[in-house]
Amino acid sequence: MIPEIGHFALALAFALALVQSVLPILGANREKLLWMQSARATSLGQLSFIGIAFAALMRSFVTSDFTVLNVVENSHSLKPMLFKIAGTWGSHEGSLLLWVLILSVFGAGVSLFGSNIPEPLKARTLAVQAWISTGFLSFMLLTSNPFDRLFPPPLDGNDLNPLLQDVGLALHPPLLYLGYVGFSIVFSFAVAALLEGRVDAAWARWVRPWTLAAWMCLTAGITLGSWWAYYELGWGGWWFWDPVENVSFMPWLLGTALLHSAIVTEKRDAFKSWTILLAILAFSFSLLGTFVVRSGLLTSVHAFAVDPERGMYILFLLALSIGGSLALFAWRAPLMEPGGLFKPVSREAGLLLNSIILGAATGAILFGTLYPLFLEAVTDEKISVGPPFFNASVVPMMLLLVFVMALGPYLSWKRADLVGILQRLRFVAVLSVLATLTLWYLQNGGPVLAYLSILLAIWLFLATLREWGTRIRLFDVSFAESLHRARNLPRAAHGMTLAHTGLAIAMFGFIGSSAWKVEEIVFVTPGTTIEIAGFDVTFEGMERVRGPNYVADRGTLVVERGGKPITILYPERRSYPVAQSTTTESAIRSTLAGDLYASISTPLSETSEQSGALTLRILYEPLVNFIWIGMGFLILGGGFSLSDRRLRVGAPRSRKTLPVATAPAE
């Protein structure tokens, strides 16, 4: 009975979405207040009914209700409770339900917390949000019902993919979807503004907190996924330019550009068309990721294997959303007022360059991700575009971006003195060069690009701290006065400092773990000792252990340095009988200096030369933990900015009517 309630609740949510997609926008066009305000009731109703449906599906997983096909395919009675709950969104149907739940959360959020938004704009925004909900709810009800029954029910389920039975992957999809779907409300604001013919500083102020919230969640989701890949998959990497990784990274890049462009629209009433376009593209690339993951184009641990017919439905939604919004943009954007003027050296120019670089990087990733799929569809020829292409095309652009980021906070609006800024930063430049040369001396050589990257990371780190110190007049006044100034700084200023500092810290991890990684892959038998990065690692043997729903072969590695014991590592190879698959559980000794990382594979066949031996993969990854620390700073910086009172209060209402420029007189 509970699954039927969930299914019925989805149907009711779909009906409310249809009403919300029409009535509020008609009210805005006809200036009928009650029609516009109906969006509040329908958006809250959608959230309630979709919440009931989600709770019904989760209850089916928690109780192991094997009359529900989705539970049979993605759960098992012996699975730990956390992963039973995570199974709710571990399938195509369940993750789609989570998607529409988050979609309704953002719509209801605007209804509840958008009291300072003019009713016409709010009504149009919520109507556009309902258009998106209608598309995905219809997709779910017609092709991807999570409550399909199975009679007679089996005695037990097929279990969830063992690779997904991990705390990191239990939290990764909700955070990632909060980012993906969070950009939907920004998209809705952009389309509503185009329909209304009005984009101004107040609009940018209303959009920024929602953009920031989505960006923070997407950052957290990508970080958690990268961390999971690092410790769970057993290859010791945190990013492989996998197509599914790429389709999450592209909206992040565009969301970052949107955050900075919206600042210019708010502060200087400029970049209106560019900000609108970025808002449309950020969500469009989120939809593109949904299509790529669910269309059956890819075979990946991240992807959902679904039939091509469902992929065609998503492709239709994709074409309708992206094509319609871009057509509306092409029609309305030329009529917008151009905004304030600025010199080539100014904060506006710096933020524009920031957006252009991020957009160009997105284009390069898009080409590298989709070209192999397009070529295979046209010629049936399979090619692989891997890390060498992306590193060669994207990394140089990111390095240029880092250099500009360090200068950005020093630039003034409208016109800036670049020579004066460089003079103020000459001490930072000298320190950066000296630190890089010291590292080169200690490392005794290495890739030139790695040292250039380290130089820019130190440059960004020191320039950011100097700018913050200048704001509070650190060392120029008493410490108490500097502390007082720090407390009075806008939280958004602290947020910018934390975010820029976090990126510099993360760069240390990116570079260190890539350029100076040491790796050994060897056959081992009990008593074998491997020397790596100053450590002596001795393989003591294997033992069989049992888990809740798996059996594992656990190795024992004794780690010493200079004859002194350091730690003992226990890598595992787990076998899941129900799912009939195995996973690698790496063992890691983590320090700020670097990680000693070990994973072990199954014994070789008895007929090989190394009969009875196992394959041990052991790595030393310098500074890798700076990646997670730096990304934490990025998220913390976003949180500080989001808590800024100026974003919570919003912009004052403007009494001006449609500020759309008319054609100039001849």
Side-chain angles (χ1 to χ4, degrees), residues 299-331:
T299 301
S300 168
V301 67
H302 311 79
F304 298 101
V306 299
D307 59 82
E309 290 184 4
R310 296 188 196 177
M312 290 303 296
Y313 197 107
I314 298 177
L315 185 61
F316 170 75
L317 292 178
L318 187 72
L320 192 63
S321 301
I322 298 177
S325 58
L326 290 179
L328 180 62
F329 174 80
W331 174 40

Side-chain angles (χ1 to χ4, degrees), residues 18 205 353 536 561 609:
L18 286 175
R205 180 72 64 87
L353 181 59
D536 295 316
R561 174 181 277 171
E609 295 182 6

Side-chain angles (χ1 to χ4, degrees), residues 306-385:
V306 299
D307 59 82
E309 290 184 4
R310 296 188 196 177
M312 290 303 296
Y313 197 107
I314 298 177
L315 185 61
F316 170 75
L317 292 178
L318 187 72
L320 192 63
S321 301
I322 298 177
S325 58
L326 290 179
L328 180 62
F329 174 80
W331 174 40
R332 301 289 281 175
L335 301 177
M336 294 180 189
E337 292 177 342
L341 300 177
F342 56 90
K343 295 290 185 180
V345 179
S346 63
R347 180 166 293 193
E348 292 96 326
L351 292 172
L352 179 60
L353 181 59
N354 166 295
S355 296
I356 291 172
I357 294 172
L358 290 169
T362 303
I365 297 171
L366 179 67
F367 175 80
T369 303
L370 295 188
Y371 178 71
L373 302 177
F374 175 78
L375 186 66
E376 183 179 355
V378 174
T379 66
D380 204 29
E381 178 184 352
K382 292 187 178 182
I383 65 169
S384 176
V385 176

Side-chain angles (χ1 to χ4, degrees), residues 173-355:
L175 286 171
L176 202 64
Y177 287 3
L178 280 167
Y180 277 159
V181 185
F183 285 126
S184 69
I185 200 66
V186 183
F187 171 87
S188 298
F189 268 110
V191 173
L194 290 172
L195 291 172
E196 192 172 89
R198 173 178 177 156
V199 178
D200 54 17
W203 177 89
R205 180 72 64 87
W206 293 317
V207 165
R208 277 184 63 199
W210 298 103
T211 306
L212 194 53
W215 179 87
M216 285 173 56
C217 292
L218 188 56
T219 304
I222 292 173
T223 302
L224 200 56
S226 178
W227 180 58
W228 166 81
Y230 172 67
Y231 72 78
E232 176 66 23
L233 297 184
W235 58 287
W238 40 266
W239 192 264
F240 194 66
W241 295 106
D242 178 274
V244 181
E245 292 174 334
N246 293 348
V247 296
S248 67
F249 189 39
M250 289 187 287
W252 186 88
L253 291 173
L254 292 172
T256 305
L258 174 59
L259 277 175
H260 292 84
S261 181
I263 293 173
V264 184
T265 304
E266 178 190 342
K267 301 291 186 183
R268 296 282 298 134
D269 200 30
F271 294 6
K272 297 176 184 178
S273 298
W274 182 236
T275 303
I276 288 285
L277 181 60
L278 287 172
I280 292 172
L281 291 178
F283 182 60
S284 297
F285 274 78
S286 297
L287 290 178
L288 177 65
T290 302
F291 168 70
V292 168
V293 171
R294 298 171 191 274
S295 62
L297 289 174
L298 299 175
T299 301
S300 168
V301 67
H302 311 79
F304 298 101
V306 299
D307 59 82
E309 290 184 4
R310 296 188 196 177
M312 290 303 296
Y313 197 107
I314 298 177
L315 185 61
F316 170 75
L317 292 178
L318 187 72
L320 192 63
S321 301
I322 298 177
S325 58
L326 290 179
L328 180 62
F329 174 80
W331 174 40
R332 301 289 281 175
L335 301 177
M336 294 180 189
E337 292 177 342
L341 300 177
F342 56 90
K343 295 290 185 180
V345 179
S346 63
R347 180 166 293 193
E348 292 96 326
L351 292 172
L352 179 60
L353 181 59
N354 166 295
S355 296

Side-chain angles (χ1 to χ4, degrees), residues 557-569:
L557 300 172
V558 177
V559 181
E560 298 179 337
R561 174 181 277 171
K564 296 181 180 180
I566 300 295
T567 189
I568 300 177
L569 301 178

Side-chain angles (χ1 to χ4, degrees), residues 74-148:
N74 297 282
S75 190
H76 190 273
S77 58
L78 296 179
K79 193 165 64 172
M81 181 56 67
L82 173 63
F83 303 130
K84 285 185 178 181
I85 295 172
T88 309
W89 54 80
S91 65
H92 163 70
E93 294 83 2
S95 65
L96 199 60
L97 182 55
L98 176 64
W99 178 284
V100 296
L101 176 65
I102 296 173
L103 199 64
S104 66
V105 166
F106 278 92
V110 171
S111 295
L112 292 174
F113 304 112
S115 58
N116 61 335
I117 303 174
E119 286 296 339
L121 177 62
K122 189 197 300 187
R124 289 186 173 95
T125 299
L126 292 175
V128 175
Q129 190 78 354
W131 296 348
I132 304 169
S133 296
T134 300
F136 278 94
L137 284 169
S138 63
F139 175 54
M140 188 183 306
L141 290 169
L142 294 175
T143 70
S144 306
N145 180 16
F147 299 104
D148 279 341

Side-chain angles (χ1 to χ4, degrees), residues 32 63 66 122 154 201 207 270 281 290 308 399 404 497 520 549 570 581 590 596 612 643 655:
K32 292 183 179 293
T63 60
F66 296 122
K122 189 197 300 187
V207 165
L281 291 178
T290 302
L399 293 180
V404 174
T497 300
E520 296 285 347
N549 60 338
Y570 299 100
S581 63
S590 291
L596 188 63
S643 67
R655 296 183 180 180

